[in-house]
Amino acid sequence: MGDLFDFDQPASLYAVMGNPVAHSHSPQIHQMFAAQFGLRVEYQKIQVDLGGLPQAVANFRAAGGRGLNITLPFKLDAFRLADKLRPRAQLAEAVNTISFADDDRIIGDNTDGAGICRDIIFNLERPIAGRRVLLLGAGGAVRGVLGPILEAHPELLVIANRTVDRAVELERHFSSFRSVAGCGFGDLKDQQFDIVINGTSASVTGDIPSIPHTVFAPGGLAYDMMYGDRPTVFIEWAVRHGAGRTADGIGMLVEQAAESFSIWHDRSPQTGKVIAALRGAGSA
Ligand code: ATR
């Protein structure tokens, strides 16, 4: 790992595209990763109008851009735009990482699922294999992480959603994995889980999915894919109702970025210090 930058090399250009995008921590995270290897990277935030992703990506490529992160609400647009998809992006039907082939073809990948799995298994030291996992929600956030979580071999993965049909539809989409089931919140009574992941957007409005209070197995992990500078309402609720450990989505944010970084730079950055730095800075 080098500390010195090579100032003879021009900085290579990366960016995150979203709407809104001003709040994004990605530039900060990628600069910290780049510094670990002495790489010169320029990482921009680009706000894109709805419907404007294809043009924005073309402009970015024409300006010499090497790779893109795609955030809300464009992950499905990026999936449709990609000329070639990595299998995990194909399964998620969502793209959060774009790279460009030599012939300029757009290659779409999705690092969200790898990010949450790495955070849970390595940072939080909670195995997924053989465990009972509950995923709350059935929107894009959940769809993006389902494949890699199932590939980590949970004993059972239950998707519970306010609108039951959406959970059942996801069960169908992922039915090649036999350990997956979709249901409504009411169906969770009498069930306990080792890992409960909140992938709903309920925290945004200060709401908590209406799940039974008994959902945590002894010592169970409560994981909110959202984060803020204070514990989310879901985390506070989980502490009151028997979760043994809690985590917000900062670790996932950094780990999905690390996976994107390794796609672009063929090097795996260290994440622990970056997670600590973001937490220390207050990560709203
Ligand atoms: P995203 O792409 O961020 O996942 P989304 O597709 O709009 O966004 O999905 C939001 C998810 O949060 C959905 O699962 C939604 O439940 P419904 O499918 O029933 O709409 C869930 N959600 C939002 N607000 C919620 C609330 N107050 N209680 C429970 N679930 C909620």
Side-chain angles (χ1 to χ4, degrees):
M1 187 168 65
D3 293 320
L4 296 174
F5 295 100
D6 182 353
F7 288 104
D8 293 337
Q9 296 292 323
S12 47
L13 179 62
Y14 300 85
V16 55
M17 291 185 173
N19 188 340
V21 81
H23 65 285
S24 174
H25 293 295
S26 292
Q28 199 187 343
I29 294 170
H30 280 272
Q31 289 302 350
M32 285 191 265
F33 289 161
Q36 293 180 14
F37 302 100
L39 294 174
R40 288 189 64 216
V41 163
E42 181 182 344
Y43 191 109
Q44 303 175 340
K45 297 180 202 182
I46 301 176
Q47 168 128 348
V48 173
D49 292 336
L50 297 186
L53 190 75
Q55 191 59 53
V57 172
N59 294 348
F60 178 77
R61 183 58 176 155
R66 305 271 284 270
L68 282 167
N69 284 128
I70 305 294
T71 189
L72 298 179
F74 296 117
K75 292 183 185 183
L76 182 58
D77 293 18
F79 169 76
R80 294 191 177 125
L81 183 65
D83 300 305
K84 191 171 176 207
L85 290 160
R86 299 291 177 216
R88 56 193 178 178
Q90 180 76 63
L91 194 58
E93 296 183 353
V95 161
N96 81 333
T97 304
I98 281 176
S99 48
F100 299 99
D102 290 341
D103 59 4
D104 274 354
R105 278 184 313 156
I106 297 168
I107 302 169
D109 202 342
N110 192 315
T111 65
D112 287 330
I116 196 171
C117 287
R118 285 196 65 82
D119 194 36
I120 291 174
I121 297 169
F122 297 109
N123 299 338
L124 300 168
E125 299 179 329
R126 293 292 177 123
I128 292 175
R131 300 303 200 274
R132 294 170 60 88
V133 179
L134 171 61
L135 254 173
L136 303 171
V142 164
R143 190 180 190 110
V145 301
L146 261 170
I149 294 178
L150 283 162
E151 279 164 4
H153 303 297
E155 178 192 301
L156 174 68
L157 174 58
V158 173
I159 308 158
N161 195 45
R162 182 174 63 181
T163 309
V164 182
D165 288 355
R166 294 185 81 192
V168 172
E169 164 56 27
L170 279 184
E171 174 188 326
R172 243 181 254 129
H173 185 76
F174 288 86
S175 59
S176 59
F177 298 92
R178 295 218 315 276
S179 52
V180 64
C183 67
F185 295 146
D187 302 313
L188 298 172
K189 76 176 157 47
D190 306 327
Q191 294 198 62
Q192 291 199 320
F193 297 87
D194 305 298
I195 302 173
V196 179
I197 300 169
N198 182 22
T200 73
S201 52
S203 301
V204 173
T205 48
D207 293 322
I208 295 151
S210 49
I211 56 174
H213 296 177
T214 47
V215 81
F216 293 102
L221 169 68
Y223 193 104
D224 200 336
M225 288 169 70
M226 299 250 164
Y227 54 86
D229 52 1
R230 293 166 6 122
T232 67
V233 284
F234 174 73
I235 296 284
E236 289 177 337
W237 179 88
V239 169
R240 288 201 302 278
H241 295 104
R245 175 119 194 233
T246 62
D248 68 10
I250 285 286
M252 174 182 171
L253 174 75
V254 173
E255 293 294 346
Q256 62 79 28
E259 186 80 7
S260 297
F261 186 94
S262 62
I263 290 168
W264 297 330
H265 303 284
D266 204 19
R267 285 166 240 222
S268 299
Q270 291 176 9
T271 52
K273 281 188 192 152
V274 177
I275 292 171
L278 281 188
R279 290 201 192 288
S283 7

